[in-house]
Amino acid sequence: MSAEDLEDYETEMELALYREYRDVVGLFAYVVETERRFYLANSVDLVPRSTDGEVWFELTLTDAWVWDVYRSARFVKQVRVVTFKDVNVEELAKSDLTVPET
């Protein structure tokens, strides 16, 4: 397999992932971004924690979809994330759910 073939394959996988996102975004209430992943979820519980002066976050998502091109099963019942980095949680308004066609 050439480098060009690999690049074409990765581009096709990313496009398929975007199309899947476009198809499922309307099923979810929240968009969640961490330093490592992007999620859609219907329930979000974000708890700031502190140990010895260090602040970290424990995030629990229920009924979620994970943006990950290499993951075979992107729908998950529950996700638990522990991070020292920023977490962005946005509630989607119904008008925000319109994704442009490709």
Side-chain angles (χ1 to χ4, degrees), residues 81-93:
V81 178
V82 176
T83 182
F84 287 90
K85 306 281 186 170
D86 290 340
V87 175
N88 183 41
V89 178
E90 297 179 29
E91 185 172 4
L92 293 170

Side-chain angles (χ1 to χ4, degrees), residues 14 19 28 39 45 59 65 82 84 100 102:
E14 289 173 8
R19 287 180 177 145
F28 296 95
Y39 303 91
D45 182 32
L59 179 66
W65 181 88
V82 176
F84 287 90
T102 57

Side-chain angles (χ1 to χ4, degrees), residues 61-85:
L61 309 175
T62 305
D63 187 24
W65 181 88
V66 184
W67 180 287
D68 187 343
V69 72
Y70 299 107
R71 191 179 174 100
S72 61
R74 285 186 272 279
F75 288 96
V76 290
K77 188 173 201 137
Q78 187 171 16
V79 177
R80 181 174 174 258
V81 178
V82 176
T83 182
F84 287 90
K85 306 281 186 170

Side-chain angles (χ1 to χ4, degrees), residues 2 11-12 16-17 47 60 71-72 84 89 92:
S2 72
T11 300
E12 288 175 25
L17 182 62
V47 179
T60 304
R71 191 179 174 100
S72 61
F84 287 90
V89 178
L92 293 170

